[in-house]
Amino acid sequence: MSVIEIVRYRLKTEATPDQAVAAWEKSQSFAKAQPGFIGRRIATTIDGEWIDEVEWESLEDAHAAASAFNPETYPELMDLLAVLDQSSMSMTHYTVQGSTA
C-alpha cells in the first residue's frame, strides 16, 4: 500500500501565497527525483493553514525523501524554506487503505 504524507504549515508573515506556490512549484524537481514518488499537491484553508500532500510508494520512500531534504544539495528547496514558518510545520504519514481513481 502507498503512503500519503501530509505536511501542515503556515507561511512566514512576509510571504505571500503567490510566493509560496512558486516556491512549491520550484521544489517539484526535488520531489519527482526521489525514489517512490507518486504525486504531490498543495492546498490552503481560508485562515492561512497550508498542506503539502505527497504520495509515496512506501513509508521507507517517504522517510528517505525526508532525510534527503537538504537545500545545500538541492538548491531548488531554498525558496520553499524562505516562505515557510518552520515552527508551524508538522508531518504525518498515512497508509492508504483504499482508493478510487
Side-chain angles (χ1 to χ4, degrees):
M1 290 287 178
S2 63
V3 169
I4 296 181
E5 174 181 278
I6 302 290
V7 180
R8 287 182 173 82
Y9 58 91
R10 292 193 173 272
L11 301 182
K12 291 180 178 174
T13 306
E14 65 275 11
T16 68
D18 287 344
Q19 289 171 320
V21 171
W24 177 84
E25 288 173 349
K26 188 174 180 180
S27 72
Q28 282 291 79
S29 60
F30 165 80
K32 289 179 179 179
Q34 302 310 301
F37 175 80
I38 296 174
R40 182 177 180 215
R41 61 187 179 170
I42 55 172
T44 187
T45 63
I46 197 163
D47 71 346
E49 181 178 67
W50 290 68
I51 62 166
D52 189 339
E53 176 191 294
V54 186
E55 188 169 3
W56 301 101
E57 289 181 12
S58 70
L59 184 58
E60 292 76 19
D61 290 329
H63 286 163
S67 294
F69 191 96
N70 181 343
E72 291 181 14
T73 306
Y74 299 96
E76 63 268 32
L77 300 174
M78 294 296 289
D79 290 357
L80 198 59
L81 292 180
V83 297
L84 301 183
D85 174 1
Q86 292 184 44
S87 70
S88 71
M89 291 179 66
S90 68
M91 181 186 295
T92 309
H93 294 98
Y94 301 86
T95 302
V96 174
Q97 301 299 313
S99 179
T100 61

